[in-house]
Amino acid sequence: MSSFSKNQECPSSFELNLFQQGEVSSQEGKEIRLHLRVCDFCSAESDFYARFPQPLESTDEVIEPKMPQPLRELAETLLNRNRGINALESLTRLNNRDR
């Protein structure tokens, strides 16, 4: 089973955010769409940016938006059902304790 994480071939979080906001060239968009077909992690992250666009900073320093930990855990649970059941149970137990 492959790990649920980015690898060297993955576009950066910043690039995925730019893609979802239509701020990439048509060639870059084509490459990202092809990558999203085979990478569950980037697909989940891209879906997040589609629903919750992150601000595009116009500074010299590039700050990549981070995927919130609860969203990452939920995505892992949905994509890795065999080991995800325990993760989901721990999330629900944690949320019930906070109430």
Side-chain angles (χ1 to χ4, degrees):
M1 178 184 286
S2 64
S3 67
F4 185 71
S5 63
K6 282 191 180 275
N7 59 49
Q8 290 181 342
E9 293 83 37
C10 291
S12 69
S13 296
F14 185 74
E15 290 170 316
L16 289 173
N17 187 33
L18 288 175
F19 169 75
Q20 283 301 341
Q21 295 190 40
E23 298 292 329
V24 296
S25 70
S26 60
Q27 180 60 35
E28 290 170 320
K30 180 180 178 182
E31 291 170 8
I32 290 173
R33 279 189 293 283
L34 289 172
H35 179 77
L36 294 177
R37 290 181 184 173
V38 297
C39 182
D40 291 334
F41 185 91
C42 288
S43 181
E45 187 176 9
S46 182
D47 288 346
F48 170 76
Y49 295 135
R51 293 175 191 238
F52 305 101
Q54 302 296 303
L56 299 174
E57 300 294 328
S58 59
T59 63
D60 292 337
E61 181 183 349
V62 175
I63 301 171
E64 293 190 18
K66 301 294 182 195
M67 180 181 274
Q69 187 62 30
L71 178 62
R72 179 184 169 87
E73 290 172 4
L74 176 60
E76 281 183 343
T77 299
L78 294 173
L79 293 170
N80 299 310
R81 294 202 186 271
N82 291 340
R83 77 179 178 112
I85 292 171
N86 292 334
L88 182 59
E89 287 174 359
S90 69
L91 279 174
T92 55
R93 271 189 254 123
L94 180 64
N95 285 336
N96 288 337
R97 270 191 267 149
D98 292 340
R99 290 181 189 178

